[in-house]
Amino acid sequence: MKKENNFDNKIEEIIKCLTLEEKIGMIHGAGLFRTEGVKRLGIKPLKMSDGPMGVRNEFPDNSWVPYGYSDDYVSYLPCNTALASTWNRELAYKEGYVLGNEARGRGKDIILAPGINIIRSPLGGRNFEYMSEDPYLTKEMAVPYIKGVQENDVAVCVKHFAVNNQETERLNVDVVVSDRALREIYFLAFEAAVKEGNAYSIMTAYNKIWDQYCAHNPKLLQEILRDEWGFDGVVISDWSGIHDTKEAAEAGMDIEMSVTYNFDEYFFANPMIHAVEKGIVKEEVIDDKIRNILRLMYRINMFSENRKKGAYNSYENREKTLEIARESIILLKNEENVLPLKEKEIKTIAVIGENADIRHSAGGGSAEIKALYEITPLLGLKMKLGGNTEVKYAKGYTHNEEEREEVLKEAIDIAKKSDAVIFVGGLKHTKEDFELYQNALESTKKEEQLINIDSEGNDKTDMSLPYKQDEVIKELLKVNENTVVVISTGSPVDMSSFADNAKAIIQTSYNGMEGGTALAEVIFGDVNPSGKLPVTIPVKLEDSPAHCLGEFPGKEKVRYDEDIFVGYRYFSTYDVEPLFAFGHGLSYTTFKYNDLKVEVNELEDDVNIKVSLKLTNTGEVSGSEVVQVYINDEKSSVKRPNIELKGFEKIHLEPKETKIVNINLNKNDFAFYNEDKNAWTLESGKFNILVGSSSDNILLKESINLEKDYKF
């Protein structure tokens, strides 16, 4: 990381003036979301807030019950999975900017985002807070997001470092994973966050790696994060993630945060004072932590009178959330051009499904926020159609077993009498559903356990849609074969029972305060869908590599025996056909790929490869396409995936317009991590450059030969 020498001297002067007690106050929570300042020296407390989908509501120092005032309503942003579905780096920057702008507007110094762990299994409870199963897509979206946040004089806190891929036993589970998988899959985005994004802080994960808690792990925090990657920012524990004073202090942890109110008893509080006084921990170790903290404070201008003030609930911020939501919607299937619906031909429309009328902003655990407003799909459709089209709504499904037959009958009756039918289903992450989930786990009635939700604190039990939504969809398709199926989730779910019969399927996620607006615009053609899947949707759970090769969720240990073959890397290499492939997403127009050219320039210490092609919009409406570049190593000393994403560009084209698309690759894109040499290695030989619209739709191919070997 770049060192700003203009304030290094000031930092040393401040450290000399601090007492031990004042230093200790700066390295642990003095409230649930703040540290202690040093008033006599003008050092303010560091104020933090969750989370990735907006600035969380305001809490007292010593209570998890919010104040309940009216001053902490904020813009509700699309979740990270939705953002990654845009495959648009510019929108990633915009979402980060909005989050940072609102965090600063609320007086925060650190926002606990983004979450960039890899989506390893469809069952992960916090998948919606993360971005993708692919490390390259994750890093390409995370870096501009980080820059957007920090432009507002607010620090990101990138989380959760590292291999936090499940909620089950998350506080203690020990992850067993190869160094190669760590480097190629699980570390890549974190390294980019440090080296390219210049992230000012990092949050450690709860779990263990190499038989040691992440928060106590000198190999993870010192050898890799600080020494190898050059991180000189602040390392913050996840709340209650520290279990020992000396171990965490000497491993490279800077600030301890926790969920309890006994702030003076935290490991980095009075116990740390005693440890220093008894010589168990050297005061120089504490000074290093203060250096990192003060450096962060200078970076976000906490000592400046000209610090940016931020703003929240601005019209401009709400506009950006709508822009992101529009591009995050994925058209999975559109047989016979069922979509877009033609508004003038529809006098009555049936909207079926409880998810059409559910607000998600207040759930999900630490991702919950207090949204200024949230436009549901039902509201968005009614706002779009106005008074000339009658919109009839029915829940269609419910958690109450006694009412299921009744609500289904109501839905079918409405569908029969309507010109068009839209089903909106999927998962939820409201607090009420979390309680239902907990009750179901304790119940002996098996049928009550179909309560799968997206939320911190729990993983899903399977991929099924809760409340027998599959049956509702099947019955609606019998009534109207052109029923539009909308699935709203933060993770892949089982669509196998209806995917063949439904002509039109839309995948969406928790798309923020304007999610319903964006969905209505896509359904009726005001917006041409351009989202692409950031994950693979398998036919069944057993097809997922974490479940058929590795373990999920494990017990005391969880073994990542699928190694580097995560997501589409597994499906493509082992010839397992997914239901919908990574990178898949349709449009209301069509695109032609042609004239692929690859130029190779091998240098002494790098390889420069320029990939170019022509992309043409061959349809009748404007639209955007994500051109995806994958590589294939024909012969390697180690087993490699059949395809690996190494480049992409999102291109907007008017009807019949052609643009030349350029994507550059370098040695990093062709290398693998060599465990024998503890280094990245590029072996000379033949490589295939594969260009397509998804991981299973490769449209152009060109082979190249690299003459040199590289180790770095």
PDB file of all heavy atoms in Angstrom, residues 104-126:
ATOM      1  N   ARG A 104     -21.200   8.499   5.440  1.00  0.00           N
ATOM      2  CA  ARG A 104     -20.628   9.777   5.896  1.00  0.00           C
ATOM      3  C   ARG A 104     -21.732  10.743   6.310  1.00  0.00           C
ATOM      4  O   ARG A 104     -21.617  11.474   7.300  1.00  0.00           O
ATOM      5  CB  ARG A 104     -19.788  10.383   4.761  1.00  0.00           C
ATOM      6  CG  ARG A 104     -19.026  11.650   5.154  1.00  0.00           C
ATOM      7  CD  ARG A 104     -17.770  11.356   5.965  1.00  0.00           C
ATOM      8  NE  ARG A 104     -18.028  11.037   7.359  1.00  0.00           N
ATOM      9  CZ  ARG A 104     -18.187  11.917   8.338  1.00  0.00           C
ATOM     10  NH1 ARG A 104     -18.125  13.208   8.092  1.00  0.00           N
ATOM     11  NH2 ARG A 104     -18.394  11.528   9.567  1.00  0.00           N
ATOM     12  N   GLY A 105     -22.850  10.713   5.550  1.00  0.00           N
ATOM     13  CA  GLY A 105     -23.981  11.559   5.898  1.00  0.00           C
ATOM     14  C   GLY A 105     -24.567  11.223   7.252  1.00  0.00           C
ATOM     15  O   GLY A 105     -25.147  12.095   7.924  1.00  0.00           O
ATOM     16  N   ARG A 106     -24.429   9.986   7.661  1.00  0.00           N
ATOM     17  CA  ARG A 106     -24.902   9.565   8.981  1.00  0.00           C
ATOM     18  C   ARG A 106     -23.811   9.702  10.043  1.00  0.00           C
ATOM     19  O   ARG A 106     -23.977   9.258  11.177  1.00  0.00           O
ATOM     20  CB  ARG A 106     -25.372   8.104   8.916  1.00  0.00           C
ATOM     21  CG  ARG A 106     -26.725   7.890   8.223  1.00  0.00           C
ATOM     22  CD  ARG A 106     -27.885   7.977   9.226  1.00  0.00           C
ATOM     23  NE  ARG A 106     -27.698   7.002  10.285  1.00  0.00           N
ATOM     24  CZ  ARG A 106     -28.013   5.705  10.191  1.00  0.00           C
ATOM     25  NH1 ARG A 106     -28.544   5.241   9.074  1.00  0.00           N
ATOM     26  NH2 ARG A 106     -27.800   4.880  11.200  1.00  0.00           N
ATOM     27  N   GLY A 107     -22.688  10.282   9.681  1.00  0.00           N
ATOM     28  CA  GLY A 107     -21.631  10.511  10.655  1.00  0.00           C
ATOM     29  C   GLY A 107     -20.766   9.304  10.937  1.00  0.00           C
ATOM     30  O   GLY A 107     -20.114   9.239  11.982  1.00  0.00           O
ATOM     31  N   LYS A 108     -20.715   8.358  10.001  1.00  0.00           N
ATOM     32  CA  LYS A 108     -19.912   7.151  10.209  1.00  0.00           C
ATOM     33  C   LYS A 108     -18.512   7.325   9.623  1.00  0.00           C
ATOM     34  O   LYS A 108     -18.296   8.078   8.669  1.00  0.00           O
ATOM     35  CB  LYS A 108     -20.596   5.937   9.574  1.00  0.00           C
ATOM     36  CG  LYS A 108     -22.041   5.731  10.016  1.00  0.00           C
ATOM     37  CD  LYS A 108     -22.187   5.596  11.515  1.00  0.00           C
ATOM     38  CE  LYS A 108     -23.635   5.422  11.920  1.00  0.00           C
ATOM     39  NZ  LYS A 108     -23.818   5.424  13.387  1.00  0.00           N
ATOM     40  N   ASP A 109     -17.581   6.565  10.194  1.00  0.00           N
ATOM     41  CA  ASP A 109     -16.191   6.570   9.729  1.00  0.00           C
ATOM     42  C   ASP A 109     -15.826   5.298   8.976  1.00  0.00           C
ATOM     43  O   ASP A 109     -14.989   5.325   8.077  1.00  0.00           O
ATOM     44  CB  ASP A 109     -15.247   6.732  10.921  1.00  0.00           C
ATOM     45  CG  ASP A 109     -15.579   7.956  11.755  1.00  0.00           C
ATOM     46  OD1 ASP A 109     -15.617   9.057  11.177  1.00  0.00           O
ATOM     47  OD2 ASP A 109     -15.823   7.806  12.973  1.00  0.00           O
ATOM     48  N   ILE A 110     -16.452   4.186   9.365  1.00  0.00           N
ATOM     49  CA  ILE A 110     -16.185   2.889   8.740  1.00  0.00           C
ATOM     50  C   ILE A 110     -17.516   2.221   8.436  1.00  0.00           C
ATOM     51  O   ILE A 110     -18.381   2.127   9.313  1.00  0.00           O
ATOM     52  CB  ILE A 110     -15.353   1.970   9.658  1.00  0.00           C
ATOM     53  CG1 ILE A 110     -14.005   2.620   9.998  1.00  0.00           C
ATOM     54  CG2 ILE A 110     -15.136   0.609   9.010  1.00  0.00           C
ATOM     55  CD1 ILE A 110     -13.168   1.821  10.996  1.00  0.00           C
ATOM     56  N   ILE A 111     -17.677   1.747   7.207  1.00  0.00           N
ATOM     57  CA  ILE A 111     -18.873   0.987   6.843  1.00  0.00           C
ATOM     58  C   ILE A 111     -18.452  -0.468   6.653  1.00  0.00           C
ATOM     59  O   ILE A 111     -17.468  -0.750   5.947  1.00  0.00           O
ATOM     60  CB  ILE A 111     -19.557   1.553   5.573  1.00  0.00           C
ATOM     61  CG1 ILE A 111     -20.893   0.875   5.328  1.00  0.00           C
ATOM     62  CG2 ILE A 111     -18.659   1.510   4.352  1.00  0.00           C
ATOM     63  CD1 ILE A 111     -21.995   1.297   6.265  1.00  0.00           C
ATOM     64  N   LEU A 112     -19.144  -1.368   7.295  1.00  0.00           N
ATOM     65  CA  LEU A 112     -18.737  -2.776   7.319  1.00  0.00           C
ATOM     66  C   LEU A 112     -19.198  -3.471   6.040  1.00  0.00           C
ATOM     67  O   LEU A 112     -20.143  -4.241   6.017  1.00  0.00           O
ATOM     68  CB  LEU A 112     -19.307  -3.445   8.573  1.00  0.00           C
ATOM     69  CG  LEU A 112     -18.982  -2.707   9.884  1.00  0.00           C
ATOM     70  CD1 LEU A 112     -19.630  -3.407  11.070  1.00  0.00           C
ATOM     71  CD2 LEU A 112     -17.479  -2.575  10.090  1.00  0.00           C
ATOM     72  N   ALA A 113     -18.495  -3.202   4.975  1.00  0.00           N
ATOM     73  CA  ALA A 113     -18.807  -3.708   3.644  1.00  0.00           C
ATOM     74  C   ALA A 113     -17.591  -3.404   2.764  1.00  0.00           C
ATOM     75  O   ALA A 113     -16.766  -2.564   3.112  1.00  0.00           O
ATOM     76  CB  ALA A 113     -20.059  -3.015   3.098  1.00  0.00           C
ATOM     77  N   PRO A 114     -17.458  -4.099   1.619  1.00  0.00           N
ATOM     78  CA  PRO A 114     -18.358  -5.127   1.080  1.00  0.00           C
ATOM     79  C   PRO A 114     -18.010  -6.522   1.587  1.00  0.00           C
ATOM     80  O   PRO A 114     -16.889  -6.766   2.039  1.00  0.00           O
ATOM     81  CB  PRO A 114     -18.085  -5.037  -0.423  1.00  0.00           C
ATOM     82  CG  PRO A 114     -16.623  -4.674  -0.502  1.00  0.00           C
ATOM     83  CD  PRO A 114     -16.391  -3.732   0.664  1.00  0.00           C
ATOM     84  N   GLY A 115     -18.976  -7.434   1.455  1.00  0.00           N
ATOM     85  CA  GLY A 115     -18.732  -8.854   1.688  1.00  0.00           C
ATOM     86  C   GLY A 115     -18.285  -9.487   0.387  1.00  0.00           C
ATOM     87  O   GLY A 115     -18.990  -9.389  -0.619  1.00  0.00           O
ATOM     88  N   ILE A 116     -17.108 -10.108   0.387  1.00  0.00           N
ATOM     89  CA  ILE A 116     -16.578 -10.640  -0.879  1.00  0.00           C
ATOM     90  C   ILE A 116     -16.166 -12.108  -0.774  1.00  0.00           C
ATOM     91  O   ILE A 116     -15.350 -12.581  -1.568  1.00  0.00           O
ATOM     92  CB  ILE A 116     -15.403  -9.790  -1.404  1.00  0.00           C
ATOM     93  CG1 ILE A 116     -14.237  -9.759  -0.416  1.00  0.00           C
ATOM     94  CG2 ILE A 116     -15.870  -8.368  -1.708  1.00  0.00           C
ATOM     95  CD1 ILE A 116     -12.982  -9.107  -0.993  1.00  0.00           C
ATOM     96  N   ASN A 117     -16.723 -12.826   0.190  1.00  0.00           N
ATOM     97  CA  ASN A 117     -16.443 -14.262   0.241  1.00  0.00           C
ATOM     98  C   ASN A 117     -17.065 -14.970  -0.954  1.00  0.00           C
ATOM     99  O   ASN A 117     -18.073 -14.524  -1.510  1.00  0.00           O
ATOM    100  CB  ASN A 117     -16.973 -14.856   1.541  1.00  0.00           C
ATOM    101  CG  ASN A 117     -16.185 -14.375   2.747  1.00  0.00           C
ATOM    102  OD1 ASN A 117     -16.627 -13.484   3.449  1.00  0.00           O
ATOM    103  ND2 ASN A 117     -15.014 -14.934   2.975  1.00  0.00           N
ATOM    104  N   ILE A 118     -16.477 -16.066  -1.329  1.00  0.00           N
ATOM    105  CA  ILE A 118     -16.947 -16.833  -2.481  1.00  0.00           C
ATOM    106  C   ILE A 118     -18.213 -17.610  -2.117  1.00  0.00           C
ATOM    107  O   ILE A 118     -18.321 -18.184  -1.032  1.00  0.00           O
ATOM    108  CB  ILE A 118     -15.852 -17.810  -2.956  1.00  0.00           C
ATOM    109  CG1 ILE A 118     -14.659 -17.025  -3.506  1.00  0.00           C
ATOM    110  CG2 ILE A 118     -16.385 -18.774  -4.015  1.00  0.00           C
ATOM    111  CD1 ILE A 118     -14.961 -16.136  -4.697  1.00  0.00           C
ATOM    112  N   ILE A 119     -19.177 -17.615  -3.026  1.00  0.00           N
ATOM    113  CA  ILE A 119     -20.396 -18.405  -2.845  1.00  0.00           C
ATOM    114  C   ILE A 119     -20.053 -19.853  -3.193  1.00  0.00           C
ATOM    115  O   ILE A 119     -19.962 -20.224  -4.360  1.00  0.00           O
ATOM    116  CB  ILE A 119     -21.537 -17.860  -3.726  1.00  0.00           C
ATOM    117  CG1 ILE A 119     -21.871 -16.425  -3.286  1.00  0.00           C
ATOM    118  CG2 ILE A 119     -22.762 -18.760  -3.629  1.00  0.00           C
ATOM    119  CD1 ILE A 119     -22.896 -15.734  -4.152  1.00  0.00           C
ATOM    120  N   ARG A 120     -19.820 -20.641  -2.161  1.00  0.00           N
ATOM    121  CA  ARG A 120     -19.340 -22.019  -2.336  1.00  0.00           C
ATOM    122  C   ARG A 120     -20.483 -23.006  -2.518  1.00  0.00           C
ATOM    123  O   ARG A 120     -20.363 -23.978  -3.268  1.00  0.00           O
ATOM    124  CB  ARG A 120     -18.492 -22.407  -1.116  1.00  0.00           C
ATOM    125  CG  ARG A 120     -17.967 -23.830  -1.151  1.00  0.00           C
ATOM    126  CD  ARG A 120     -17.054 -24.130   0.031  1.00  0.00           C
ATOM    127  NE  ARG A 120     -16.663 -25.531   0.001  1.00  0.00           N
ATOM    128  CZ  ARG A 120     -17.070 -26.449   0.879  1.00  0.00           C
ATOM    129  NH1 ARG A 120     -17.869 -26.104   1.884  1.00  0.00           N
ATOM    130  NH2 ARG A 120     -16.685 -27.708   0.754  1.00  0.00           N
ATOM    131  N   SER A 121     -21.591 -22.786  -1.815  1.00  0.00           N
ATOM    132  CA  SER A 121     -22.745 -23.693  -1.851  1.00  0.00           C
ATOM    133  C   SER A 121     -24.021 -22.879  -2.013  1.00  0.00           C
ATOM    134  O   SER A 121     -24.126 -21.769  -1.467  1.00  0.00           O
ATOM    135  CB  SER A 121     -22.818 -24.497  -0.555  1.00  0.00           C
ATOM    136  OG  SER A 121     -24.113 -25.056  -0.370  1.00  0.00           O
ATOM    137  N   PRO A 122     -25.020 -23.410  -2.713  1.00  0.00           N
ATOM    138  CA  PRO A 122     -26.307 -22.713  -2.789  1.00  0.00           C
ATOM    139  C   PRO A 122     -26.970 -22.524  -1.432  1.00  0.00           C
ATOM    140  O   PRO A 122     -27.875 -21.702  -1.302  1.00  0.00           O
ATOM    141  CB  PRO A 122     -27.155 -23.647  -3.673  1.00  0.00           C
ATOM    142  CG  PRO A 122     -26.174 -24.434  -4.462  1.00  0.00           C
ATOM    143  CD  PRO A 122     -24.998 -24.629  -3.544  1.00  0.00           C
ATOM    144  N   LEU A 123     -26.538 -23.260  -0.421  1.00  0.00           N
ATOM    145  CA  LEU A 123     -27.206 -23.221   0.876  1.00  0.00           C
ATOM    146  C   LEU A 123     -26.679 -22.139   1.818  1.00  0.00           C
ATOM    147  O   LEU A 123     -27.249 -21.933   2.891  1.00  0.00           O
ATOM    148  CB  LEU A 123     -27.083 -24.582   1.576  1.00  0.00           C
ATOM    149  CG  LEU A 123     -27.593 -25.798   0.804  1.00  0.00           C
ATOM    150  CD1 LEU A 123     -27.548 -27.045   1.694  1.00  0.00           C
ATOM    151  CD2 LEU A 123     -28.996 -25.577   0.276  1.00  0.00           C
ATOM    152  N   GLY A 124     -25.629 -21.458   1.451  1.00  0.00           N
ATOM    153  CA  GLY A 124     -25.039 -20.466   2.333  1.00  0.00           C
ATOM    154  C   GLY A 124     -26.030 -19.375   2.711  1.00  0.00           C
ATOM    155  O   GLY A 124     -26.620 -18.723   1.851  1.00  0.00           O
ATOM    156  N   GLY A 125     -26.192 -19.153   4.016  1.00  0.00           N
ATOM    157  CA  GLY A 125     -27.191 -18.199   4.483  1.00  0.00           C
ATOM    158  C   GLY A 125     -26.893 -16.761   4.115  1.00  0.00           C
ATOM    159  O   GLY A 125     -27.802 -15.941   3.970  1.00  0.00           O
ATOM    160  N   ARG A 126     -25.597 -16.426   3.963  1.00  0.00           N
ATOM    161  CA  ARG A 126     -25.218 -15.044   3.654  1.00  0.00           C
ATOM    162  C   ARG A 126     -24.793 -14.871   2.204  1.00  0.00           C
ATOM    163  O   ARG A 126     -24.176 -13.857   1.855  1.00  0.00           O
ATOM    164  CB  ARG A 126     -24.096 -14.577   4.583  1.00  0.00           C
ATOM    165  CG  ARG A 126     -24.493 -14.549   6.037  1.00  0.00           C
ATOM    166  CD  ARG A 126     -23.410 -13.979   6.927  1.00  0.00           C
ATOM    167  NE  ARG A 126     -23.450 -12.523   6.984  1.00  0.00           N
ATOM    168  CZ  ARG A 126     -22.753 -11.800   7.873  1.00  0.00           C
ATOM    169  NH1 ARG A 126     -21.975 -12.406   8.759  1.00  0.00           N
ATOM    170  NH2 ARG A 126     -22.834 -10.495   7.879  1.00  0.00           N
TER     171      ARG A 126
END
